[in-house]
């Protein structure tokens, strides 16, 4: 692969691929990989994977501010870069800046509605004080993958408080079977039973 780079020194993908190989062969040794991604950017500053890969390394090193700055630069070069926007929203969410993350994750959910992206959007909406808005992306995530118990649990807990109790109950029961010691989930299940008029079941789930 180094011969390929010598033949086409202005090809950013060649540097990117070589960096990935170096990191796969020597996990945790970031210096050479980082230098190759920097060379990829020098060859083509609009090559988004180099920016996002550098941001991943920064996150793994605990340098959240650097990761955020790298992703901001990537998005200035290409505002429509879905992967960069997804990572940017994720970093903001990790930093406790959920309200800022929401518009970026909404754009990602529209452009590439993966289950992970939809769940991330829902979490950002919940953490930014907009729980009712999180119901739709969670429904879509479950529709994409009914096995996502984390989405079912979050949706059930939201519906128990902000939506249909009868819809919340089967979601929470399914999630409870996978995580029987989750107190917040049991509390939500008891609330859903109570709202649905099933008082005995509410008492039973609260015990």
């Amino acid at each position: 692969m180094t011969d390929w780079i010598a033949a086409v020194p202005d090809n950013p993908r060649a540097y990117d691929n070589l960096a990935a190989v170096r990191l796969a062969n020597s996990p945790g040794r970031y210096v050479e990989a980082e230098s190759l991604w920097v060379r990829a950017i020098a060859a083509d500053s609009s090559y988004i994977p180099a920016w996002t890969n550098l941001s991943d390394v920064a996150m793994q090193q605990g340098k959240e501010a650097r990761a955020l700055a790298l992703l901001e630069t990537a998005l200035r070069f290409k505002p429509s870069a879905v992967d960069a926007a997804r990572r940017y929203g994720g970093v903001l969410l990790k930093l406790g800046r959920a309200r800022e993350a929401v518009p970026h994750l909404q754009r990602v959910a529209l452009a590439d509605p993966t289950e992970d992206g939809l769940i991330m959007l829902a979490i950002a909406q919940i953490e930014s004080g907009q729980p009712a808005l999180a119901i739709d992306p969670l429904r879509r995530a479950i529709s994409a993958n009914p096995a996502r118990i984390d989405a079912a649990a979050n949706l059930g807990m939201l519906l128990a408080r902000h939506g249909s109790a009868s819809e919340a109950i089967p979601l929470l029961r399914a999630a409870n079977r996978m995580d029987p010691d989750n107190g917040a989930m049991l509390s939500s299940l008891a609330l859903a039973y109570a709202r649905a008029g099933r008082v005995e079941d509410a008492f039973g789930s609260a015990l």
Side-chain angles (χ1 to χ4, degrees), residues 40-124:
I41 289 169
D44 181 358
S45 58
S46 66
Y47 184 70
I48 301 302
W51 293 103
T52 57
N53 285 327
L54 282 170
S55 77
D56 280 350
V57 170
M59 287 298 291
Q60 291 171 37
Q61 295 173 329
K63 301 175 182 177
E64 288 89 354
R66 172 170 164 75
L68 210 59
L70 289 163
L71 292 168
E72 286 170 352
T73 303
L75 289 168
R76 279 198 295 273
F77 278 113
K78 189 175 181 181
S80 62
V82 172
D83 186 49
R86 180 186 295 109
R87 293 168 194 248
Y88 187 62
V91 176
L92 287 171
L93 194 55
K94 184 174 182 179
L95 292 174
R97 295 163 60 180
R99 189 170 293 277
E100 294 174 65
V102 167
H104 299 282
L105 296 174
Q106 283 177 324
R107 181 158 58 84
V108 170
L110 286 172
D112 184 24
T114 65
E115 61 197 73
D116 286 335
L118 291 164
I119 291 171
M120 194 184 298
L121 169 59
I123 291 170

Side-chain angles (χ1 to χ4, degrees), residues 171-195:
L171 291 166
L172 289 168
R173 289 183 62 181
N176 178 242
R177 285 193 292 271
M178 300 296 294
D179 187 7
D181 298 322
N182 188 314
M185 200 186 308
L186 288 170
S187 176
S188 295
L189 181 56
L191 174 61
Y193 278 134
R195 287 189 58 214

Side-chain angles (χ1 to χ4, degrees), residues 189-191 193-194 198-207:
L189 181 56
L191 174 61
Y193 278 134
R198 296 169 57 175
V199 179
E200 290 187 8
D201 287 327
F203 277 119
S205 62
L207 294 177

